[in-house]
Amino acid sequence: MQKNIIHVMVVEDDRDEAELIGTLLTTAKIPEVSAEAFRVSYQTTLRGAMAEIAKEYVDVILLDLNLPDSGGLDTLIKLRGEAPSIPIVVLTGAYDRKLAIDVLHRGAQDYLIKGKSDHQLLLRSVRYSVERKRAEEELKRIQTQLIQAEKMKSVGRLAAGAAHEVKNPLAIIMMGIDYLTRKFEGPDEKTKMIMQQMKDAVLRADYVVKGLLNFSSLKDLDMKVTNLDEVLKESIALVRHAMEKRQIGIVTDFDPHLPMVKIDRSRIQQVFVNLLTNAEESMPDGCQLTVKTYAKKVESGSSVGYRTEDHFVPGQLSVVAEISNTGPAIPEEILENIFDPFFTTKRERGGTGLGLSVAKSIVDQHKGLIRIYNREEGGVCAAVFLQPVD
Amino acid sequence: MINGFHMSKKKILVIDDEVNFSNLLKINLEDIGEYEVKAIYKGSEGYEAAREFCPDMIIIDVVLKDADGRDVLSLIKSDSQFQHVSVIILSAVPLKQILEKHPVLLGNTLILSKPITLAMLVEHIHQQLKKSENG
């Protein structure tokens, strides 16, 4: 069995106590935990603990509530606020029933009394906290996915019905405008302009409805073995004009040995055009856009795993198209909403909030992944992972 | 009706249960001066109206309250008199759905989506009629 290294951070100002815990963990020889090894790091203050989790991956925290720079429940609340996803086991000297309940309510995974816990109890507590937290996170992730899928489905259902009910009135308005335009024919420029504006408004409403219909017609894919580089080149050609107008440079870095993919060419092109346009619109003039393709083994993350609904297993080869810009980062608080139908930050500029959600649906239907994240070196990266042809 | 002036006009039968749309379409097309238009609002009256009116072209919506427009068309086209009549399906539902369920209709049939500008519709009417004259 492969050994997993669990990084335990002990936050305890009593050095003897901290060392004792460390020794108990690192010399563990207990069958039920023998599959794991522990790496232990020590902090004596809350500030030190926060600094460590900010720069290092920690699996579990053993926390003494009373530290030189923080005391009581407050210590737990502050640390949880900083790292809500890391499981915390609280250590304290005296048994206090109320405090025990309080720390559990505040999100601690467990509660141990110093001196009263033998190494078996300690190890079990640490391991179970890690496992419980993992299960919780996994559950949360699946719930989010389910909600997202459900949202998409209901929009699709609504779209087909709404389209008919909206397009018919639009057709009447359009015919009416054509009638009035004829009746008011003459030198009156103002009337002409108003008629044209009304026509444009009808076409705009129709455009939104068409976007909605994309949801309901996504089922019919025309899958063909394709070179992804070609599709990207076509997509770039479609947006090049807009980019040039704003002096945005496009750098391409295509892998000449890229494996072929089986895709619906026009649908994937729609995805790329959407991502390219997003990248362009979020950049100030004169910035640079990079388009890259390569083959890569997928790492774990959303939709990667061994369940039937997962699109990739960890380590599986994928064909990646990456579009990155040098523009401003996406604020963290909206990052989780960007794929939601109707979520948009550019409504005043005519955004419908459907572009990315349609893009995601299309990629999902290809059993691929789409990830959008802020790059460490600045800018935003959108990556599409597709299945290579065997 | 049987005078020289009207003889040159093409006859268009509009079948659409959106009463306001049908009426406006009739007014708009007739104002152009090249067409004589009859608008009806019930699919079930389609065949009867076609026999009476003898249209050169039928413009029909496929989603009608009392019937499926495609069935109405099949019935009309099953009459040898209208076997080659030009048809424009003008509908608010996605085009793919229409095609998949009734590929039989394809000959001489054009599918357009609502809303549409009069100019574009007239352009298509023109082309369809020309095609059927040549064919």
Side-chain angles (χ1 to χ4, degrees), chain A residues 60-79:
Chain A
V60 55
I61 300 169
L62 294 181
L63 178 68
D64 181 3
L65 291 182
N66 294 314
L67 299 168
D69 57 348
S70 178
L73 258 187
D74 222 25
T75 313
L76 173 66
I77 294 166
K78 281 181 189 154
L79 198 59

Side-chain angles (χ1 to χ4, degrees), chain B residues 51-124:
Chain B
R51 285 187 51 129
E52 237 170 70
F53 187 60
C54 296
D56 299 292
M57 168 175 275
I58 296 170
I59 297 178
I60 185 171
D61 188 356
V62 286
V63 185
L64 299 166
K65 284 189 192 81
D66 69 330
D68 185 322
R70 291 163 293 196
D71 295 337
V72 176
L73 269 182
S74 297
L75 178 63
I76 295 175
K77 284 201 154 197
S78 68
D79 187 327
S80 59
Q81 191 189 345
F82 303 116
Q83 203 182 339
H84 300 295
V85 69
S86 292
V87 175
I88 289 181
I89 292 177
L90 184 53
S91 182
V93 300
L95 307 182
K96 267 194 176 167
Q97 287 181 19
I98 301 173
L99 281 175
E100 270 162 17
K101 290 183 190 158
H102 266 252
V104 204
L105 291 179
L106 276 176
N108 233 6
T109 300
L110 182 69
I111 299 175
L112 296 174
S113 173
K114 283 182 188 173
I116 189 165
T117 61
L118 182 64
M120 195 177 285
L121 180 61
V122 169
E123 166 88 32
H124 284 299

Side-chain angles (χ1 to χ4, degrees), chain A residues 146-165:
Chain A
L146 277 177
I147 291 168
Q148 186 73 22
E150 204 43 55
K151 269 191 216 163
M152 299 292 244
K153 242 187 356 207
S154 38
V155 171
R157 267 199 303 267
L158 277 171
H164 183 248
E165 292 313 310

Side-chain angles (χ1 to χ4, degrees), chain A residues 70-133:
Chain A
S70 178
L73 258 187
D74 222 25
T75 313
L76 173 66
I77 294 166
K78 281 181 189 154
L79 198 59
R80 280 248 322 147
E82 205 63 29
S85 62
I86 306 175
I88 298 175
V89 176
V90 168
L91 304 164
T92 191
Y95 178 71
D96 179 338
R97 201 183 162 77
K98 185 175 174 311
L99 188 66
I101 293 168
D102 281 349
V103 297
L104 295 178
H105 278 174
R106 288 292 179 172
Q109 286 289 342
D110 204 357
Y111 180 92
L112 290 174
I113 301 156
K114 283 192 265 185
K116 286 209 173 163
S117 43
D118 57 25
H119 70 304
Q120 190 163 359
L121 198 59
L122 173 71
L123 287 168
R124 194 180 294 167
S125 177
V126 166
R127 200 175 71 110
Y128 284 5
S129 328
V130 173
E131 282 308 317
R132 246 195 325 265
K133 196 75 194 178

Side-chain angles (χ1 to χ4, degrees), chain A residues 344-358:
Chain A
T344 178
T345 55
K346 29 190 186 192
R347 197 166 307 281
E348 72 285 354
R349 282 179 280 148
T352 58
L354 289 172
L356 273 185
S357 44
V358 170

Side-chain angles (χ1 to χ4, degrees), chain A residues 160 163-164 167-172 174-176 178-179 182-183 199 202-203 206 210 213 220, chain B residues 18 20-21 24-25 27-28 31 61 63 92-94 96 100 113-119 121:
Chain A
H164 183 248
K167 277 169 156 286
N168 266 318
L170 287 180
I172 296 174
M174 189 63 106
M175 278 294 144
D178 277 324
Y179 174 79
R182 225 170 34 249
K183 291 293 151 189
K199 257 188 182 178
V202 172
L203 292 177
D206 187 40
K210 276 188 193 142
L213 282 173
D220 328 303
Chain B
E18 285 281 340
N20 290 336
F21 180 77
L24 262 167
L25 185 57
I27 293 169
N28 274 341
D31 273 5
D61 188 356
V63 185
V93 300
K96 267 194 176 167
E100 270 162 17
S113 173
K114 283 182 188 173
I116 189 165
T117 61
L118 182 64
L121 180 61

